Amino acid sequence: MKKITLFALTMMLAASCDDGDLVFESLNFEEVSMQKCEDKELYYKVNDKELLVVNLTSSTGEPLINDNLQIGDELEVLTSATNQIIYRLYDSSLSNQNVLCADVPPANPQVVDEYVSENNGSIMIYKQLQVNESESQNNQFAVAYNFSILFKNIVLTSGEQQIKYPDYTFGTYQAE
């Protein structure tokens, strides 16, 4: 009887062991600054081996973050094949972040896992004016526009796995 019990416990333990696969539970980019590709409307955050990127291009190919959006206004963009949110996990650190904006992606680092947004989630874009007084010269001001980006009701999918976010603050991009 002891052998049967020991065998059963061993089998249960073996069946419950972690096989080492990543289980993606949440996005951890709160402490990371948002960046933008110079020649593309890709806005991204990198956290070591992880990447969170959103494409903010209209269906006509025009940038969604532009001067046409008035201060204080909000723009709602539905996630689609054009405006995707993508989470990627790489096999090594993304130390050279310029590779993210390359037309031909490099062979390394390699994507280990990828979650892509399903259609009809919302990307909310808010425009605010920021005025900073110059520290070196009196009565001199610098003006910048801040574009805050918030995801609402997004679903990120990888095969059969889904991660849902009712609200996720992506961050703020400053355009001067």
Side-chain angles (χ1 to χ4, degrees):
M1 185 67 175
K2 288 182 184 181
K3 289 182 181 181
I4 293 173
T5 304
L6 181 61
F7 177 74
L9 286 173
T10 303
M11 293 307 294
M12 287 183 357
L13 181 62
S16 67
C17 286
D18 184 5
D19 62 357
D21 289 344
L22 172 75
V23 177
F24 171 58
E25 295 177 1
S26 66
L27 300 173
N28 297 311
F29 294 91
E30 289 81 21
E31 303 297 320
V32 182
S33 298
M34 183 189 320
Q35 298 177 55
K36 179 190 179 293
C37 293
E38 284 185 30
D39 59 341
K40 298 177 185 167
E41 294 305 306
L42 296 176
Y43 297 81
Y44 63 91
K45 288 184 165 188
V46 174
N47 189 2
D48 190 34
K49 297 179 181 181
E50 296 176 287
L51 167 71
L52 183 61
V53 64
V54 60
N55 182 2
L56 295 177
T57 306
S58 72
S59 59
T60 61
E62 297 297 317
L64 292 171
I65 291 183
N66 59 47
D67 293 335
N68 295 334
L69 188 61
Q70 299 299 311
I71 297 170
D73 283 354
E74 68 179 44
L75 173 65
E76 180 179 12
V77 180
L78 295 179
T79 54
S80 65
T82 303
N83 302 108
Q84 289 185 320
I85 302 165
I86 300 171
Y87 165 84
R88 286 185 179 162
L89 175 67
Y90 289 87
D91 63 354
S92 62
S93 179
L94 290 166
S95 56
N96 182 3
Q97 296 175 12
N98 294 333
V99 301
L100 302 173
C101 300
D103 287 334
V104 178
N108 287 308
Q110 294 181 346
V111 176
V112 174
D113 203 1
E114 179 177 84
Y115 285 76
V116 178
S117 60
E118 292 185 354
N119 292 347
N120 299 321
S122 294
I123 302 168
M124 306 299 295
I125 303 170
Y126 304 92
K127 183 178 182 181
Q128 300 98 20
L129 178 67
Q130 180 177 333
V131 179
N132 297 322
E133 186 172 358
S134 173
E135 293 178 15
S136 61
Q137 297 178 344
N138 290 337
N139 298 324
Q140 296 290 320
F141 297 92
V143 175
Y145 297 104
N146 290 335
F147 294 89
S148 298
I149 301 171
L150 173 71
F151 303 150
K152 288 185 167 267
N153 300 316
I154 63 166
V155 178
L156 300 173
T157 304
S158 176
E160 297 294 317
Q161 296 179 347
Q162 287 187 335
I163 305 297
K164 298 179 181 183
Y165 281 93
D167 291 299
Y168 185 82
T169 301
F170 184 59
T172 301
Y173 173 72
Q174 188 173 83
E176 296 182 14

